Amino acid sequence: MKHDANLAPYAARPEASRGRRFPEPPPASRSEFQRDRDRIIHSTAFRRLEYKTQVFVNHEGDLFRTRLTHSIEVAQIARSIARNLHLNEDLVEAISLAHDLGHTPFGHAGQEALNASMKDYGGFEHNLQSLRVVDELEEHYGAFDGLNLMFETREGVLKHCSHANASQLGDIGLRFIQRKQPTLEAQLANLADEIAYNNHDVDDGLRSGLLTTAQLDEVDFYAQHRNEVEATYPGISGRRAIHETIRRMINALIVDLINASQARIQDAGVKSVDDVRNSSALITFSDEMQQQAAQLKRFLRENLYRHYMVNRMTSKARRIVHEMFDAFMQEPRLLPPDYQVASDDGDNKMRVQARKVADYIAGMTDRYAIREHRRLFRIDEI
Ligand code: MG
């Protein structure tokens, strides 16, 4: 079956893939990267994304983005761009849907807390944890641990990685040491992530009342599109005006990314995935858009991510993660049996136990973490 008639020569192709860690017969009715996407959607970690958040905690409101809706938005944006650039849509979709699988509960606060708790045991990086989920932690198949995904999907999931960790990862970590690029599909999923969260954080920030449209008018990119909306629809206001503005912002970013990337790809003269790997990053915004996006990011950091109401929630979240980690490390017998390390594991035992605790905590949804914390610390909770 032909799946790739429209692919550019520099797009990732299943037949040129570095393959799966455990060889499997080819799928009958879909491409190898479609199979990866399907495995991701059927995974346990994927369903947990519904109850994990990045800025707002899951119980704060039903309309805020969750990691699940965020991942779907990333996949939508990435696929639109991939189709325009004749890149592999199936691969870009698989990477997008899997990119946040390793995230802790409570977004960045949870990740920072877990990384701090794990300081003496190798640390905690959410990108590496996403790879760990698809390589090791999922229990779905008789023949192997994890989902046994294609190399290019795994490489895209491992978006960043410290040098120290990269050197332990073998082939998948090599590009961080050699300073090479991943496939264009991986580069694209990374930027689609950025487009998605910058825009939906504006939307959620306004919905929550933590941001106002008057404040956002300080951001040139927002003001420009807001003015355009008001000129096109005089008298427009409220949610409708916000949505019209945000959809224009998303569109402008997508169009810019397509045009700027197309130009860079042409200038670089890449003809294969190998050329892409040896080139500089080719999926990029124009310099002008880069600056606009940076201004928006700065605004969100100062006004939303560091808003005192958000700080209160992230402070509680940090405490919950630290307290659970310490309690489990002091008394591993409080852990579910699967996460307890047998006592005869020798010198390495603490490290192995800490990693198991990190896996357990990272796998928790926001509400599961809140409930588990209560069960550990409140005598009247069972
Ligand atoms: Mg993301």
Side-chain angles (χ1 to χ4, degrees):
M1 192 178 290
K2 195 86 182 132
H3 293 280
D4 56 1
N6 280 319
L7 288 187
Y10 39 77
R13 286 179 163 68
E15 63 273 21
S17 167
R18 297 191 192 172
R20 302 181 188 276
R21 295 203 296 169
F22 305 94
E24 294 183 62
S29 58
R30 45 189 178 161
S31 77
E32 294 282 8
F33 294 126
Q34 279 179 292
R35 171 147 79 177
D36 279 6
R37 177 207 51 207
D38 299 347
R39 285 183 177 183
I40 290 158
I41 288 176
H42 289 278
S43 71
T44 308
F46 187 71
R47 285 194 300 284
R48 287 180 173 149
L49 295 177
E50 185 174 359
Y51 300 103
K52 291 190 182 195
T53 45
Q54 28 196 22
V55 180
F56 298 90
V57 172
N58 187 244
H59 62 257
E60 290 184 289
D62 290 346
L63 286 177
F64 296 123
R65 266 61 173 195
T66 66
R67 291 251 173 226
L68 181 64
T69 61
H70 161 71
S71 300
I72 293 169
E73 287 182 31
V74 175
Q76 180 273 315
I77 290 167
R79 285 184 61 191
S80 296
I81 300 167
R83 190 170 299 189
N84 276 278
L85 295 175
H86 300 287
L87 298 177
N88 196 312
E89 267 184 72
D90 298 330
L91 173 56
V92 106
E93 186 180 16
I95 295 170
S96 301
L97 294 177
H99 84 283
D100 271 352
L101 289 179
H103 261 282
T104 60
F106 314 127
H108 292 289
Q111 124 97 12
E112 278 160 26
L114 197 49
N115 189 29
S117 285
M118 286 290 289
K119 173 167 63 68
D120 296 333
Y121 311 105
F124 179 89
E125 294 176 31
H126 62 87
N127 287 303
L128 192 54
Q129 189 68 11
S130 296
L131 185 68
R132 200 168 147 73
V133 166
V134 300
D135 277 359
E136 290 173 46
L137 299 181
E138 280 289 321
E139 297 176 316
H140 268 259
Y141 302 94
F144 43 77
D145 286 336
L147 306 178
N148 196 31
L149 302 180
M150 300 283 273
F151 178 89
E152 293 74 13
T153 311
R154 297 169 57 230
E155 170 190 58
V157 167
L158 190 64
K159 167 161 80 165
H160 303 292
C161 182
S162 68
H163 207 278
N165 282 324
S167 61
Q168 318 249 316
L169 289 174
D171 59 356
I172 203 84
L174 213 53
R175 78 173 163 94
F176 297 99
I177 295 160
Q178 297 177 335
R179 299 184 175 282
K180 288 192 175 182
Q181 296 297 322
T183 61
L184 294 177
E185 286 81 358
Q187 298 179 34
L188 170 51
N190 190 13
L191 285 171
D193 185 22
E194 221 180 287
I195 296 177
Y197 68 68
N198 281 331
N199 285 284
H200 66 49
D201 287 353
V202 169
D203 189 30
D204 284 352
L206 289 169
R207 188 188 312 282
S208 66
L210 301 187
L211 297 179
T212 63
T213 50
Q215 271 179 305
L216 267 156
D217 279 336
E218 295 165 23
V219 181
D220 299 338
F221 188 51
Y222 180 90
Q224 172 202 332
H225 290 286
R226 174 89 192 191
N227 291 340
E228 200 183 293
V229 168
E230 283 168 4
T232 312
Y233 304 105
I236 194 170
S237 64
R239 299 297 317 158
R240 204 186 292 269
I242 293 167
H243 289 146
E244 277 287 349
T245 306
I246 291 174
R247 83 184 182 93
R248 278 172 170 73
M249 287 163 49
I250 295 174
N251 191 56
L253 287 159
I254 288 177
V255 170
D256 182 86
L257 191 63
I258 291 168
N259 292 336
S261 302
Q262 191 77 73
R264 267 186 216 253
I265 289 167
Q266 239 147 42
D267 289 350
V270 290
K271 303 230 155 32
S272 67
V273 175
D274 272 345
D275 289 350
V276 167
R277 293 184 184 285
N278 291 318
S279 179
S280 56
L282 296 174
I283 304 293
T284 55
F285 294 111
S286 65
D287 292 344
E288 197 198 343
M289 188 59 91
Q290 187 89 52
Q291 280 172 21
Q292 301 245 33
Q295 192 198 12
L296 175 60
K297 265 186 167 172
R298 225 170 15 248
F299 172 87
L300 286 170
R301 196 167 51 238
E302 282 159 18
N303 297 284
L304 181 62
Y305 310 145
R306 291 180 189 160
H307 191 287
Y308 82 98
M309 290 298 287
V310 173
N311 287 343
R312 284 186 189 184
M313 187 48 83
T314 53
S315 166
K316 281 188 273 191
R318 265 198 308 273
R319 252 189 316 272
I320 287 182
V321 169
H322 283 311
E323 286 173 3
M324 282 198 295
F325 185 89
D326 292 344
F328 288 136
M329 286 305 282
Q330 273 159 28
E331 285 184 83
R333 285 175 308 170
L334 303 179
L335 284 161
D338 281 358
Y339 293 94
Q340 293 182 27
V341 176
S343 56
D344 55 357
D345 265 17
D347 295 346
N348 211 16
K349 191 191 164 194
M350 286 293 276
R351 217 180 158 84
V352 177
Q353 184 63 74
R355 187 57 60 193
K356 288 250 183 199
V357 171
D359 286 341
Y360 183 46
I361 293 176
M364 293 178 186
T365 61
D366 294 358
R367 60 183 191 172
Y368 185 93
I370 293 167
R371 214 182 300 143
E372 184 73 338
H373 183 265
R374 254 194 256 127
R375 282 192 291 249
L376 284 168
F377 290 93
R378 284 188 47 174
I379 196 78
D380 54 347
E381 191 85 21
I382 44 165

